[in-house]
């Protein structure tokens, strides 16, 4: 069975809102990814599901690292911009900076991280799994910072506090 991209079964899942940051052949880039999960506490491991044809996937394959920022309640709009176009044709980092988004460089991997997010982490790739229309990138967390901001959820095509 397959779920349709815009079907009710897909939209009923409630997910976190993550901003994935990468660097590589397509340059520094940012992508919104609701399918991002903490899959192990020890060692701390995060999974990101990304379409294999995406600039994000190609960059992770090339550099073996990525950053994740858990969007705060006031950052839904950042996710909308980060997820609205391809890093192959749009400088989303530049556009977000023009709109006032601040990034900090990760101390371990050099990946950009979204300031003001509820949490951000730097990950080094340990495994890639082909899962149909997504590649699952499993990364070991090498640095994490938690901030006092509350995270948002995404459900029914909307952001929720």
């Amino acid at each position: 069975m397959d779920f349709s991209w815009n079907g009710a079964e897909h939209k009923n899942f409630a997910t976190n809102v993550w901003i994935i940051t990468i660097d590589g052949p397509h340059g520094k880039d940012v992508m919104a990814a609701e399918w991002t999960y903490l899959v192990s506490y020890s060692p701390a491991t995060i999974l990101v599901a990304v379409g294999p044809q995406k600039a994000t996937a190609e960059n992770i394959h090339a550099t073996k690292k990525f950053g994740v920022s858990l969007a705060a309640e006031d950052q839904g709009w950042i996710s909308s911009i980060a997820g609205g176009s391809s890093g192959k044709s749009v400088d989303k980092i530049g556009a977000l900076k023009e709109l006032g988004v601040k990034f900090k460089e990760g101390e371990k991997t050099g990946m950009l991280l979204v300031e003001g997010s509820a949490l951000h982490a730097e990950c080094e790739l340990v495994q890639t799994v082909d899962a149909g229309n997504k590649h699952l990138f499993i990364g070991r967390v090498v640095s994490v910072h938690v901030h006092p901001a509350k995270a948002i959820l995404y459900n029914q095509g909307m952001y929720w506090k």
Side-chain angles (χ1 to χ4, degrees), residues 9-152:
E9 67 280 350
H10 170 258
K11 287 185 172 187
N12 274 327
F13 282 92
T15 59
N16 291 322
V17 179
W18 292 87
I19 309 298
I20 311 305
T21 46
I22 57 288
D23 197 357
H26 298 289
K28 292 185 185 305
D29 193 18
V30 60
M31 173 187 160
E34 36 180 317
W35 300 317
T36 303
Y37 309 96
L38 175 67
V39 292
S40 174
Y41 293 117
S42 182
T45 308
I46 292 177
L47 176 147
V48 178
V50 179
Q53 75 287 0
K54 302 284 187 183
T56 299
E58 293 173 13
N59 278 351
I60 294 173
H61 280 299
T63 65
K64 310 290 189 241
K65 58 188 177 178
F66 56 93
V68 294
S69 298
L70 179 57
E73 288 179 324
D74 62 346
Q75 293 180 323
W77 67 276
I78 297 172
S79 171
S80 294
I81 291 171
S85 55
S86 171
K88 293 179 181 180
S89 58
V90 175
D91 176 10
K92 294 183 279 183
I93 296 281
L96 288 168
K97 284 181 177 179
E98 281 184 34
L99 293 169
V101 175
K102 291 186 168 67
F103 294 89
K104 68 174 262 174
E105 190 171 298
E107 48 199 49
K108 300 281 186 179
T109 65
M111 290 292 109
L112 294 179
L113 302 163
V114 179
E115 288 191 10
S117 60
L119 172 147
H120 50 70
E122 299 172 79
C123 299
E124 292 178 348
L125 186 66
V126 294
Q127 186 177 1
T128 303
V129 177
D130 182 346
N133 73 330
K134 301 286 185 204
H135 279 181
L136 308 180
F137 294 102
I138 302 168
R140 180 177 53 89
V141 177
V142 295
S143 176
V144 66
H145 295 279
V146 178
H147 305 280
K150 291 183 179 178
I152 57 174

